[in-house]
Amino acid sequence: MMWAISMNCFVDIPYDLLLSCVKHMNLTVDSEMHLSNALLVWIDANTECMKGLSRNEDVCTGVLKQIRLSLLPLWFAAEKRSSCHFSKFADESIDSIFRLLRIPSTGSVDALGASHLHDLRIRLTKFSKRVNLSRCSQITSAVLLLSLLPSANSIDYILRGIGQSPFNLERLDRDQCSEVLNLLPTLSFEAVQEVDISKCPRLHLQSAIECFRKSFPSLRILKAAFLLKFKISTLRKLVRKCPMVCEVDLTTDTSPIISSQVSIVSSSPAITPQISNLSLNVRDMTSFYNSGLSIAKLTLEGRNDLYDSDLQYISRFCVSLQYVNLKGCTSLTDVGIASLLRRCIKLHSVLVCDTSFGINSVLALCSSSSNHIAVEQIENELLDSLALNLQILHMGSCKCVDETSLLKLMSQMQKLKSLCLSDTHLSDGALYSFRGSSLEVLDISNTVVSNAAVAYLVGGNPGLKCLKARGCRNLSEQESDPQKREFSFSYSCRELHNEIGRTCMLEEIALGWGFSYASLEALKPAITSLRKITVGLGGLLGEDGLRKLPTICPMLESIILYFQVISDRTIMNIMANLKKLVVLAFCHCLGDISILSFKFPMPNLRKLKLERVTPWMNNNDLFILTQSCANLVELSLLGCTLLDSESQQIISQGWPGLVSIHLEECGRVTTMGVSSLLDCKALEDLLLRHNGPGLQRSFIFDAASKLPMLRKVSLDFCDAAEGDFDIPNYGDRHFLSTLKIAKCKLQKGLKVSFVKAPRRRQVHKETLVLVWNSSTVTRTVVKERL
């Protein structure tokens, strides 16, 4: 079915054939959401030919009622509440999901009754290769096990036979869980190679791993992102139980407290363990070593509870590791990262942005592998440095690497395909020392490189598809300093852009200083297939550039503009001609625009950010926006001062499937408190600041308890009705991982002649940041407004 869904001719399938396929016991789909989407696409495509037919409604109902509504992701069900064909089913799905959520994760799903059990069975057949349960907050081990038993009708008989309810697996310890599963006649699905349980916070991981062991013997890829309780000790159990697993994704939200980017006033960090939280005996070590050999790709992004001792275990037992992502692992040290790099000699992809990656790690990359392992172990291995074979290196914001070390590292990398050096001490010399010719992605944002050095690198890498150079002030002729440019005394912006235009075929570009309408013309040959463009501070496309953008780049899916001059004419042109647009952001732009800019329907638009560009927006305008951009999942509004409490209902009814809402300085939206916004049941990220002092003291706990997917909350003490907020403890936080509360202070303004006393205005003072990890919470106060 997944293959059929991907074909353009899927919409031409006759109804009777479609219905019989959907009812077939061997129907194979990755998830219930994929099936729902496909059926809605078919219905939309066939609506016209069914108009006027008496069976039109029966056709829609007949095929849609085959969907197992209890297994849909909450965000998808919420979004489809506005669908004319699916609204009734979406409401049923949401009711079913919250009915499941009200049952404790240690409770029994048979409390729902036998009639509901069929709808809780995940579609698994002998042909299933992928099982996608991501964002299904209602999924528990009981639901997973139910899907692995032969038939829902035989459950009572099975339970009586073993005298134990499998729907209370969460209450069992490891040995009991294994014993009970061994007694159950679970089915085996040998074709399953990939399982995605990301954002399933109620799933008991130990029980789930036992289920994977018994029913998915060929499992190779596990995605378990945003599950804080998935620790390194859990990873050890996984590789022991499922020895075929070679790829694991344990991504979590990256902490906003990056030492190189914020000024810390005070902090009460979690205590760093001096030893690993793993406790292995000799038998376990041998078992872990043998099973860990298969792990080739490991993503640990955002894990601030990951310490050097954990890396020691990973480097010791995951000796086949080829790809490691440690981005945002702020508790790691340079020495710890270097130790991992020395041991894992097969690494070709290293992602360490926002970490303490420094000189020791660079030395580990540049040293010959023969310095770290016995000669007999590398008879068939290349005796070269790790840097020579690197294909991906992302080290953005790693300011512990000095210019000399960076130059040495760049001179050794020859096979690199993706390189991120943003916010580092990158200089022209390092770029000139690079000898690679295979680069496809280059990010040098916020560095001091010059036009000539960038042109040199671009000229030697004709396969470049993505170039990010925002914040590079030396790329502007007005900002460059000739005395500091060793290699480029007269190289202009135009020459750089001409070189890019001659050499590359770009899919993504992000530029600022030195980028203009003339640059767009020079880049024209390279950007005809462009999908994403970001223009930042220092760039100036002008009205002519923005007007020509849809013609030059007809395939654009993302446009993000900072500090540009915009008008109704240019925006209307973009909206009317770029129908594939998914992301649209206008931030701090100048020019007179009105609601006329947003009256064109944009059904594919998913993310909209309007910051300091629509101060005139009122509730009527907001309603028009919900009609033209009906399928948004992320909304950010800043400076819409005419909005009020009724705006909440317009937002929640117009975009019920929103997963992210950012409202700042939006009039009186929260003056009367927050009610309707919480009807966006799938919210994961909520920012409310300077919208009116109506937030109750218990708002954080209330929001977290009513929104099962909520992970990030950002507030301001100014909006607290009682001047403060109650902070949930570790057990009451639900799925919450990051909380930011800004604090302002009153500052005297300038005295105006017709005002008797100086005006006082609120200015930012500091931000309180709380970050939860797998076991503790870190409380930090920083000067910046995060």
Side-chain angles (χ1 to χ4, degrees), residues 478-527:
Q478 290 79 12
E479 294 292 334
S480 59
D481 183 355
Q483 295 180 354
K484 295 182 179 180
R485 293 160 62 184
E486 302 175 28
F487 303 96
S488 50
F489 294 103
S490 59
Y491 211 92
S492 68
C493 300
R494 186 172 184 83
E495 288 175 295
L496 168 61
H497 298 141
N498 283 335
E499 180 64 35
I500 297 173
R502 285 192 300 266
T503 307
C504 305
M505 185 57 70
L506 295 172
E507 295 179 3
E508 180 176 359
I509 194 168
L511 297 173
W513 296 99
F515 187 62
S516 63
Y517 171 65
S519 306
L520 194 66
E521 288 293 326
L523 288 171
K524 191 173 181 179
I527 59 176

Side-chain angles (χ1 to χ4, degrees), residues 51 100 255 262 386 474 697:
K51 275 186 178 179
L100 285 169
S255 170
V262 298
L386 200 61
N474 285 355
R697 191 181 186 92

Side-chain angles (χ1 to χ4, degrees), residues 68 96 187 216 301 333 338 350 380 475 531 558 600 711 737:
R68 298 177 184 179
S96 178
L187 300 173
F216 304 148
E301 181 176 330
T333 67
V350 178
N380 298 319
L475 297 186
R531 297 185 181 276
S558 173
F600 286 89
R711 301 191 326 276
S737 66

Side-chain angles (χ1 to χ4, degrees), residues 236 239-240 242-243 245 286-295 317:
R236 176 178 69 88
V239 297
R240 286 180 57 204
C242 306
V245 169
T286 303
S287 175
F288 191 24
Y289 177 81
N290 292 333
S291 57
L293 287 172
S294 61
I295 296 290
F317 300 115

Side-chain angles (χ1 to χ4, degrees), residues 255 257-259 269-273 302-311 326-337 354-356 773 776 778:
S255 170
I257 306 300
I258 306 297
S259 57
I271 299 175
T272 303
R303 291 274 167 178
N304 62 5
D305 55 350
L306 187 72
Y307 301 100
D308 289 356
S309 52
D310 297 313
L311 282 193
L326 302 174
K327 178 182 178 182
C329 295
T330 53
S331 298
L332 297 177
T333 67
D334 182 28
V335 173
I337 297 172
D354 300 322
T355 66
S356 297
N773 59 32
T776 57
T778 302

